[in-house]
Amino acid sequence: MADAFNRFNTGGQYFYQPQHPRTLNHRNGSPISNSRGLFQPNTDTPSPNRSPGTHSPAHNPYAMYNHSNHRQNHLLSSGAGHNFQTQMGLHKGFQNQNHGNNSHHMSSQTQDHGVVGHNSAFGNHQYSNSASNLTASTPHYAPTHLQNGNSDQSTALGNPVSNEHWAEQKAEYGRLQKAGDKPHFYARNSPHVSRFPGASQSSITRSMDIEEHGERRRTLTASEEAEEAGSWDALDLGGHGLKSMGPSLFRHYPNLRKIYFNHNKLTWLPGEVGHMRNLTVLDLSFNKLDTLPAEVGMLTKLKRLLLYGNELRDLPYEIGSLYHLEVLGIAGNHMLRADYMERMREHGTKEFVRFLREQAPPPPPPNDREWIQLVDDADAEPEKFTVCSWNTLCDRAATQALYGYTPSGALTWEHRRGVILDELTHRNADILTLQEIDIENYKEYFRPNLAAEDYKGIFFPKSRAQTMAEKESKMVDGCAIFYKNTKYILLDKQLVVFSREAINRPDMKGEHDVYNRVMPRDHIAVVVLLESRVTGSRLIVVNTHLAWEGRFADVKVVQVAILLEQIAKLAETYSNWPPCKDKELFKYANEDRADGLPETPIVPAPSMKYDNALQIPLLICGDFNSLADSGVHELITSGSLAPKHKDLGTQTYGDFTRHGMSHPFALKSAYASGGHWPFTNYTPDFHEVIDYAWYSTNSLQVTGLLGEVDPEYMRRVPGFPNWHFPSDHLALYVEFQVKSRKEARKAVEADFGSGSKQSSSSRH
C-alpha cells in the first residue's frame, strides 16, 4: 500500500511536498526459513530511513475534564474471593471554564452501584470543594511538561538525581504517593464532569458488573446507548483496594482512551488489556504488580504508562513496540533490574523504549497459515493453477518514522527481501503478481533468483521513471508478473498508464479535475496474455496498484474504470489472437540446474479457440487501497457505478460522471469464497482488506486458498512488518480451476517441431 518515494513525489515531472500520512494505513506472508536466494548482489542498496518519529507534546491527564454536572459511577469487582466496592468515573470530553473561586458545590450527582452477587443501593452524595480540599482547576502538579520521563530511584528513592527528566519523574512519583489511596484521585481533581450536557440525572442510570471470570451483564437506557457508542473515553477505578480486574472490562470497552487503576492491590494484569488499542494513558501506579503481560505491547497509542510504586522485577520486551510512549513511570519499583533503572535515568523514555525494541529477541514463528480447501477434486484431471499476489513494501517506503514499532533489523531491506524470496519460493505458485518492486531489485535480485526457480518475469515501473535519469529511476517501484516457464508461454504484454489514458480520452478534454487530480498520479497496470503449454487454454492476468490517499477516492474509481475499459478492449483483441505455433520449451543457460524442468518432455497442446472476449479466463490482482464499501469495489463486483456516487464527489470526469461507468465482466473476489476475511493490510492503526484477486466467475472457480495468520501469534503482534512478515501487506495465495467449456474448440494443430518458427503474431 505504501508508495515508497512516491508518497512525496507523485508523478511525472510534478513534485509535491510531503503530505500527511494516509488514512488507509499501509501494509504479510507466512514465515518460512531464513535462507536466501541464489544471487546475492553487493548490499549497496540504500538502507531505510531511520529518522525518529515526531515527538508529540506530553499528554496532561489532569486537563481532560470540563466543569459541568459531574457524575460518578460506582461498581464492585469480584476478585481473589472478595468483593471490593469501586467507584467508577466515566468521562467524556473535557474543556476548562472560568470560575470565580476555587470552591465549588457538586450537587445532584447520581451514583449507581453494582455488586457482584449482591443487590446494593446507595443514595446521592454531595461534595464540597474548598481550598483545603480539591480545587476545580487543573492541579499545580499536573505533569504537562513531562515529555520524556527518565527513571531511577533517586533522592527519596535512595539514589541521586541524574537529570531533569528523572527529577520530574521522581517528583510525580512523590506527588502520587502523597495522594494516598483516595478513591478517584483523577476524577476528583477534575470535578463537574458531564458526559451528557443537558441530560437529566434520572435518565443516566447504570447497572454494571465486572467479574474476574464471566461476562458483563447490563441494561442500557437511551442515554447509556450513546455512551456505548463512544461518548465517553476515560475510566477511573483508582483507590478502591481492588485485587483483580476481570478480563471482561477490557473486552467490552476497547475504545477507552484513559484508564486509571492506581492505588489498588492488583497483583496481575490480564492479557486482555491488549484489546484496548486506543489507550493513550494507563496508570497502574501503587499496586502490587511484579510482572506485566506481553500484550501490553499492543497498546501502541500509549503516551503515558505509569507503573510507579509496584514490585516489578523485569519489563517485557514488548514495551519496545510503544513507539508513541512519552512517559514510562517506573520510579518506586525497588526490585526492578538495575541496568534498566540506570538506562532510564541516563536516557529517558524514548531511548529506553528504543533499547527494548532493538534488544528484543525475535519471537517464535507462528504456525503456518492453514490451507482452506473449498472444492473437492471431482474432475479427474482438472486444469488448475495457483496465484500469489503481494504488495512487498519497497525499501524506500519502509522507514522507521512510519513503522516505529518494528525493530530496525527487521525493517532492513536485506532482511525483508530475503524473507520475501523465501516465501515466494516456498509457496511455488504458478503465477506471481507483485506490487512495490523497484527497478533495481527486479533486475538484480528478484528476476535472477526467481529464474532459478523456473520463473520468467515482466516488469513495468510507475510512469514517473520515464522522466528521470537512469540512476534516480532505479528506485522507482512498479508492478511485476512472474509465471512458471514450464507451464505457460507469454503471448502478449501491455502497460496501462492511467493518467495517459485519461488525458487522451476525447470526453475528458479540458476537464480540470483530470489535470489536477488524475494526471499527477503515476499509477499503472500490467496486462499479460498467457497460454498453457499443456492444455492450450489462455489466461489474461492483470496486476495493478492504485492511489493510496483516502482523499483521492474519486481518482481510484477513475483508475479502475479506465483499467476495465482497457481490459475489455484487449480481451476483444485476444479472442481473435492466432494460434501459437512454437511451444518448444526454452532452457536457461545454467544446464546443471535441471530440477525446474519436468522429467518427461511436455507434449504441447494446440491453442484454445475463443469465440468472444468474455470466454477468456480473467484474473485481476493488486493493491486497490479500497474497502468493501468503496466505489472501486462496487464497480468491479456489480459491473457498474452511478455517475453521482459519493466517491466521485463534485469532480467531473467526462462520460464517467455524466453517464456512469460499466464493464462486461462477471468478477468476484477470490477471498470472498472463504467467508469473512479479517485483513490484508495490518498496522497498529489500520487492519482492513484492501488487496484483492478478482476472477471471472464464468470461466474460473476458486478451489482453495491460504488462510489467515495464526490468531494466537497475532495476540502479541501490533503490526506488520516484523521478523516473520516482511511487508505490512499479507500475501494472497489462491488455487483456481479452469471451468470446462463444452463449446470450446481446438485450433488446427500446428507443427511443434524444433524446426518450426514462431508465428509473427505470437509475441513472447
Side-chain angles (χ1 to χ4, degrees):
M1 172 167 176
D3 285 354
F5 186 66
N6 191 27
R7 299 168 185 274
F8 309 129
N9 187 8
T10 51
Q13 67 272 35
Y14 302 93
F15 181 80
Y16 293 83
Q17 294 298 323
Q19 301 165 341
H20 296 292
R22 55 183 139 188
T23 301
L24 277 180
N25 226 350
H26 357 333
R27 291 207 187 294
N28 267 241
S30 148
I32 26 102
S33 68
N34 248 348
S35 60
R36 296 296 179 262
L38 178 65
F39 293 82
Q40 291 290 341
N42 293 332
T43 57
D44 56 355
T45 306
S47 61
N49 181 359
R50 297 286 175 255
S51 59
T54 303
H55 295 282
S56 57
H59 179 71
N60 176 10
Y62 306 97
M64 68 183 186
Y65 306 102
N66 66 5
H67 306 289
S68 60
N69 303 326
H70 178 53
R71 185 188 115 205
Q72 298 173 334
N73 293 297
H74 299 248
L75 80 166
L76 292 176
S77 175
S78 168
H82 302 280
N83 289 333
F84 299 93
Q85 179 178 339
T86 58
Q87 193 179 34
M88 182 172 62
L90 304 170
H91 309 296
K92 188 181 176 184
F94 310 101
Q95 49 181 296
N96 294 325
Q97 300 178 3
N98 296 326
H99 297 271
N101 54 62
N102 289 333
S103 179
H104 305 282
H105 183 68
M106 300 160 58
S107 60
S108 300
Q109 297 176 328
T110 302
Q111 298 175 329
D112 303 317
H113 304 258
V115 184
V116 178
H118 299 277
N119 294 322
S120 300
F122 297 84
N124 294 335
H125 305 272
Q126 291 185 340
Y127 299 93
S128 177
N129 292 338
S130 65
S132 63
N133 195 354
L134 298 175
T135 67
S137 59
T138 300
H140 71 281
Y141 50 83
T144 56
H145 59 289
L146 186 57
Q147 185 169 0
N148 190 10
N150 296 291
S151 181
D152 181 287
Q153 315 290 6
S154 56
T155 309
L157 308 179
N159 292 320
V161 175
S162 296
N163 54 46
E164 62 177 312
H165 299 298
W166 173 244
E168 291 170 356
Q169 181 166 143
K170 182 201 67 172
E172 184 180 36
Y173 165 82
R175 287 189 293 267
L176 290 176
Q177 186 180 40
K178 290 179 182 179
D181 56 357
K182 296 179 181 178
H184 307 304
F185 170 75
Y186 290 94
R188 289 176 179 273
N189 282 275
S190 302
H192 297 278
V193 175
S194 173
R195 287 182 288 171
F196 306 103
S200 64
Q201 295 294 341
S202 61
S203 68
I204 309 175
T205 59
R206 182 183 211 83
S207 176
M208 174 177 171
D209 291 340
I210 297 179
E211 302 179 0
E212 181 178 3
H213 301 289
E215 294 299 325
R216 177 186 59 167
R217 299 182 299 276
R218 53 179 306 197
T219 303
L220 296 178
T221 65
S223 296
E224 291 173 327
E225 290 176 355
E227 287 188 57
E228 193 74 3
S231 58
W232 51 272
D233 65 358
L235 174 64
D236 187 355
L237 290 174
H240 285 281
L242 300 179
K243 291 187 176 180
S244 65
M245 273 295 159
S248 59
L249 170 67
F250 305 107
R251 289 196 298 265
H252 293 302
Y253 293 94
N255 295 322
L256 285 176
R257 292 173 54 82
K258 307 173 187 70
I259 292 186
Y260 304 101
F261 291 150
N262 55 294
H263 292 94
N264 283 298
K265 299 178 182 179
L266 302 178
T267 58
W268 64 285
L269 188 66
E272 283 78 3
V273 69
H275 291 295
M276 311 197 74
R277 303 190 66 175
N278 290 308
L279 278 184
T280 60
V281 178
L282 177 59
D283 189 350
L284 298 166
S285 300
F286 299 100
N287 281 281
K288 296 182 179 181
L289 299 172
D290 56 4
T291 60
L292 288 178
E295 287 81 358
V296 74
M298 300 293 286
L299 311 179
T300 53
K301 292 184 180 180
L302 271 183
K303 294 183 178 181
R304 294 174 57 82
L305 176 58
L306 305 184
L307 306 170
Y308 298 124
N310 277 282
E311 301 173 3
L312 295 170
R313 298 175 180 270
D314 203 349
L315 293 173
Y317 282 114
E318 285 78 3
I319 288 180
S321 299
L322 308 183
Y323 63 112
H324 288 309
L325 198 63
E326 296 168 358
V327 178
L328 176 61
I330 60 174
N333 287 275
H334 302 284
M335 292 180 286
L336 189 61
R337 289 175 48 171
D339 58 328
Y340 280 6
M341 301 300 294
E342 181 68 19
R343 181 170 291 273
M344 278 290 291
R345 178 172 60 247
E346 293 182 1
H347 302 289
T349 295
K350 289 288 185 182
E351 169 57 26
F352 184 72
V353 169
R354 188 204 65 80
F355 170 78
L356 289 179
R357 181 168 60 247
E358 297 302 323
Q359 294 299 313
N367 295 324
D368 199 6
R369 296 166 61 187
E370 180 184 0
W371 177 253
I372 303 174
Q373 192 70 37
L374 299 175
V375 177
D376 295 333
D377 293 335
D379 199 336
E381 294 183 2
E383 180 183 354
K384 292 184 178 181
F385 65 91
T386 53
V387 176
C388 179
S389 183
W390 197 4
N391 183 325
T392 60
L393 177 58
C394 67
D395 181 24
R396 300 197 69 177
T399 66
Q400 200 74 52
L402 286 173
Y403 304 98
Y405 50 88
T406 304
S408 59
L411 206 54
T412 61
W413 181 237
E414 288 72 20
H415 167 78
R416 294 195 305 108
R417 71 179 185 179
V419 180
I420 291 169
L421 183 63
D422 289 343
E423 174 75 2
L424 295 176
T425 55
H426 173 69
R427 297 302 173 195
N428 197 34
D430 297 316
I431 298 170
L432 307 175
T433 59
L434 308 179
Q435 305 89 46
E436 290 203 28
I437 297 289
D438 61 50
I439 296 175
E440 181 178 37
N441 280 285
Y442 171 77
K443 292 181 178 179
E444 298 182 10
Y445 188 76
F446 287 105
R447 183 170 65 180
N449 279 289
L450 289 173
E453 303 295 331
D454 187 36
Y455 286 104
K456 295 187 74 172
I458 305 97
F459 170 80
F460 286 101
K462 291 176 179 175
S463 59
R464 71 172 180 274
Q466 301 172 7
T467 67
M468 304 169 68
E470 181 179 359
K471 183 178 180 180
E472 288 76 21
S473 67
K474 290 193 302 182
M475 301 305 295
V476 177
D477 67 292
C479 297
I481 297 177
F482 292 91
Y483 60 93
K484 286 287 188 177
N485 186 47
T486 55
K487 186 165 186 174
Y488 291 105
I489 187 168
L490 178 66
L491 301 181
D492 189 37
K493 61 181 179 182
Q494 295 290 332
L495 170 67
V496 178
V497 180
F498 301 130
S499 58
R500 182 190 306 161
E501 298 297 333
I503 62 177
N504 288 334
R505 286 175 60 98
D507 62 305
M508 291 189 182
K509 294 293 184 182
E511 296 281 12
H512 294 291
D513 290 324
V514 173
Y515 287 94
N516 294 332
R517 297 179 66 81
V518 177
M519 193 174 71
R521 326 315 305 169
D522 64 345
H523 301 87
I524 63 167
V526 179
V527 184
V528 300
L529 176 63
L530 301 176
E531 181 173 318
S532 170
R533 295 181 185 273
V534 176
T535 66
S537 65
R538 292 175 174 178
L539 174 66
I540 301 173
V541 180
V542 183
N543 185 18
T544 190
H545 188 185
L546 303 186
W548 59 264
E549 303 95 327
R551 66 182 182 278
F552 287 116
D554 57 310
V555 173
K556 285 182 271 193
V557 170
V558 171
Q559 289 175 338
V560 167
I562 290 174
L563 175 60
L564 293 168
E565 187 177 70
Q566 294 301 310
I567 295 174
K569 293 178 181 178
L570 288 171
E572 193 65 38
T573 301
Y574 294 156
S575 66
N576 298 313
W577 207 263
C580 179
K581 296 183 179 180
D582 185 2
K583 295 187 179 181
E584 183 178 6
L585 184 62
F586 176 80
K587 187 176 181 180
Y588 281 98
N590 51 330
E591 298 292 338
D592 58 329
R593 187 173 178 81
D595 56 317
L597 300 177
E599 296 180 358
T600 57
I602 292 178
V603 179
S607 300
M608 186 78 72
K609 175 65 176 177
Y610 297 92
D611 295 329
N612 60 69
L614 300 182
Q615 289 182 351
I616 307 176
L618 172 62
L619 184 65
I620 306 176
C621 301
D623 176 2
F624 289 80
N625 280 315
S626 302
L627 302 177
D629 62 350
S630 65
V632 167
H633 194 282
E634 182 177 343
L635 174 58
I636 294 175
T637 56
S638 68
S640 63
L641 191 70
K644 300 300 181 181
H645 190 275
K646 61 180 178 64
D647 283 2
L648 294 171
T650 60
Q651 280 72 38
T652 56
Y653 296 110
D655 289 342
F656 288 167
T657 50
R658 281 194 290 267
H659 310 300
M661 292 150 273
S662 63
H663 66 84
F665 306 106
L667 298 173
K668 183 180 180 180
S669 170
Y671 271 79
S673 304
H676 172 71
W677 193 248
F679 61 84
T680 63
N681 181 243
Y682 185 70
T683 64
D685 298 322
F686 184 85
H687 26 275
E688 297 286 352
V689 174
I690 58 174
D691 304 88
Y692 301 91
W694 311 98
Y695 67 99
S696 53
T697 57
N698 62 305
S699 55
L700 295 174
Q701 181 179 13
V702 177
T703 58
L705 47 82
L706 197 61
E708 60 185 279
V709 183
D710 179 6
E712 181 62 27
Y713 173 84
M714 293 300 295
R715 290 180 62 242
R716 299 181 180 182
V717 177
F720 297 152
N722 64 8
W723 290 107
H724 304 124
F725 294 85
S727 171
D728 58 345
H729 288 256
L730 198 64
L732 307 183
Y733 183 84
V734 187
E735 181 185 69
F736 292 96
Q737 177 178 324
V738 180
K739 292 182 177 180
S740 60
R741 294 191 302 120
K742 296 181 179 180
E743 71 279 10
R745 299 184 315 225
K746 298 286 186 177
V748 177
E749 186 170 357
D751 181 9
F752 296 130
S754 59
S756 62
K757 295 184 178 181
Q758 179 180 339
S759 170
S760 59
S761 61
S762 180
R763 308 172 189 177
H764 294 266

